[in-house]
Amino acid sequence: MKALCWHGPKDIRCDQVPDPRIEHPRDAIIKVTSCAICGSDVHLYDGYMPGMENGDVMGHEFMGEVVDVGPASKHALKVGERVVIPFTIICGECEQCRRGNFSVCERSNRNKDVAGKMFGHTTAGLFGYTHLTGGYPGGQAEYVRVPYADKTHIKVPSNGLSDEQVLFLGDIFPTGWQAAVQCDIQPTDTVAVWGCGPVGQMTIRSAILLGAKQVIAIDDVPERLAMAQAGGATTINFDEERVVERLNDLTGGKGPEKCIDAVGMEAHAGGSFDAVYDKVKQSLMLETDRPHVVREMMYVCRPAGTLSIPGVYGGLLDKIPFGAAMNKGLTIRMGQTL
């Protein structure tokens, strides 16, 4: 079959690779009908996520048709059914899964010893996303093997929904929704969202659905800002305005109660000092991540506020104003989508 494979930073090729097969009784094989590119894939493309190997199949936002099912998954899936596959692989049985903490499933990462050394404990296995999360082939391919398929799937109702109507359930909509839910949004809250890419757009709409008084969206791409404004947000173009000053203006000098980082490890910040500092360190391989957004959120967030971080980070962050976060009593919630 054909698949998009990683061969190094900025080197993605369409290769001929072996067809997947059933390897475990709980597996299923999916014929991919639609897939998407995630902002997290850009981190792989740019070479900033550790654990990638030559020939790894990309992609963790996909859906398709069941074409083969292992004997232990036949009660849950039937050949011919349409399914969306979440990017987190879950067993559904371990202690973390029973608690609903699916992104830290204790069984699905087949490289959990490596993840444990990197993170202190294992996380769940993820499709198409480094050998730190299991090295599972991803969904930018013609076919995919889905481990723990009896749990790792969302069935598409047989009521004529198109792929485009349900594909986002695999990642960007639940990621944006969780980012907003983690904030415990109240009707009096101003929610600031850094990043107006796909996850940022879903976060903006989720915050509005959850009843925020005001949602403020920050980016520098006019088309993204226009889409955020159409979704109900007040916008800030960080190339034209000072973000901290503008956020304080919009909140009577108090800062937003809730701040959401929908950017992650490759933040751009115009010509600010920390942006230049991060780019220099990153180019010299002295830093994995550019955490401008985290710094800015900690500084501008209202005391006793909440920071929500769905944006992906891969390593160690430098020059984080942790004293500000501690002394202002900020709550920080983050993680892969549950």
Side-chain angles (χ1 to χ4, degrees):
M1 69 171 186
K2 293 180 179 178
L4 291 182
C5 298
W6 188 91
H7 291 280
K10 296 181 171 57
D11 185 2
I12 308 297
R13 307 175 201 169
C14 184
D15 292 343
Q16 198 74 29
V17 300
D19 289 351
R21 57 183 178 81
I22 298 292
E23 298 178 16
H24 184 276
R26 293 180 68 180
D27 286 354
I29 305 297
I30 307 300
K31 179 181 179 181
V32 176
T33 57
S34 293
C35 63
I37 298 172
C38 182
S40 303
D41 292 327
V42 177
H43 305 324
L44 305 182
Y45 176 78
D46 287 337
Y48 294 132
M49 282 296 295
M52 291 296 288
E53 296 183 6
N54 188 48
D56 284 347
V57 178
M58 300 278 288
H60 57 268
E61 299 186 12
F62 62 96
M63 64 174 294
E65 178 184 330
V66 179
V67 294
D68 198 4
V69 184
S73 290
K74 288 186 175 179
H75 66 285
L77 288 171
K78 302 288 188 297
V79 171
E81 289 183 316
R82 294 172 67 219
V83 289
V84 178
I85 303 299
F87 70 94
T88 48
I89 302 169
I90 65 170
C91 76
E93 298 171 346
C94 70
E95 181 179 352
Q96 292 286 15
C97 282
R98 291 198 303 271
R99 293 182 176 185
N101 301 324
F102 302 116
S103 69
V104 287
C105 172
E106 296 171 318
R107 295 182 183 175
S108 62
N109 188 343
R110 58 188 180 184
N111 294 334
K112 61 183 179 181
D113 292 341
V114 178
K117 289 178 182 178
M118 180 73 176
F119 303 130
H121 297 86
T122 189
T123 64
L126 306 180
F127 289 101
Y129 211 75
T130 95
H131 290 261
L132 290 173
T133 57
Y136 290 100
Q140 292 171 14
E142 293 183 281
Y143 295 88
V144 180
R145 179 178 78 93
V146 180
Y148 299 103
D150 54 321
K151 298 296 182 181
T152 306
H153 72 269
I154 303 167
K155 286 188 182 180
V156 179
S158 56
N159 59 357
L161 291 173
S162 69
D163 281 15
E164 288 187 354
Q165 289 175 298
V166 294
L167 176 61
F168 291 171
L169 288 173
D171 185 348
I172 62 170
F173 175 60
T175 298
W177 178 259
Q178 177 176 297
V181 167
Q182 285 180 158
C183 289
D184 187 24
I185 293 171
Q186 302 300 309
T188 55
D189 283 345
T190 290
V191 179
V193 180
W194 277 255
C196 297
V199 169
Q201 298 292 343
M202 295 296 178
T203 301
I204 290 161
R205 285 151 179 79
S206 296
I208 290 170
L209 285 171
L210 290 167
K213 179 181 74 173
Q214 178 178 217
V215 177
I216 304 169
I218 303 152
D219 206 300
D220 70 336
V221 179
E223 293 82 2
R224 289 179 169 187
L225 290 168
M227 187 177 289
Q229 190 172 38
T234 300
T235 60
I236 298 175
N237 185 327
F238 66 74
D239 280 341
E240 299 174 357
E241 300 179 275
R242 294 183 180 274
V243 173
V244 172
E245 291 180 8
R246 183 63 177 141
L247 284 172
N248 282 326
D249 288 344
L250 290 168
T251 57
K254 294 185 175 182
E257 288 93 345
K258 309 295 165 62
C259 297
I260 300 175
D261 173 2
V263 178
M265 66 192 294
E266 292 189 71
H268 296 277
S272 67
F273 171 78
D274 70 323
V276 175
Y277 172 86
D278 284 335
K279 286 183 179 179
V280 170
K281 289 201 71 174
Q282 203 174 52
S283 67
L284 296 173
M285 304 301 290
L286 297 175
E287 184 178 28
T288 56
D289 302 42
R290 301 197 297 263
H292 171 80
V293 170
V294 173
R295 297 185 190 114
E296 199 160 71
M297 291 199 312
M298 287 181 171
Y299 186 79
V300 77
C301 188
R302 187 176 302 200
T306 298
L307 311 183
S308 176
I309 306 176
V312 170
Y313 288 86
L316 303 176
L317 310 188
D318 195 5
K319 301 294 185 293
I320 297 299
F322 205 79
M326 182 271 166
N327 283 288
K328 291 203 292 184
L330 303 183
T331 295
I332 304 174
R333 301 186 68 183
M334 64 190 91
Q336 300 283 1
T337 304
L338 297 177

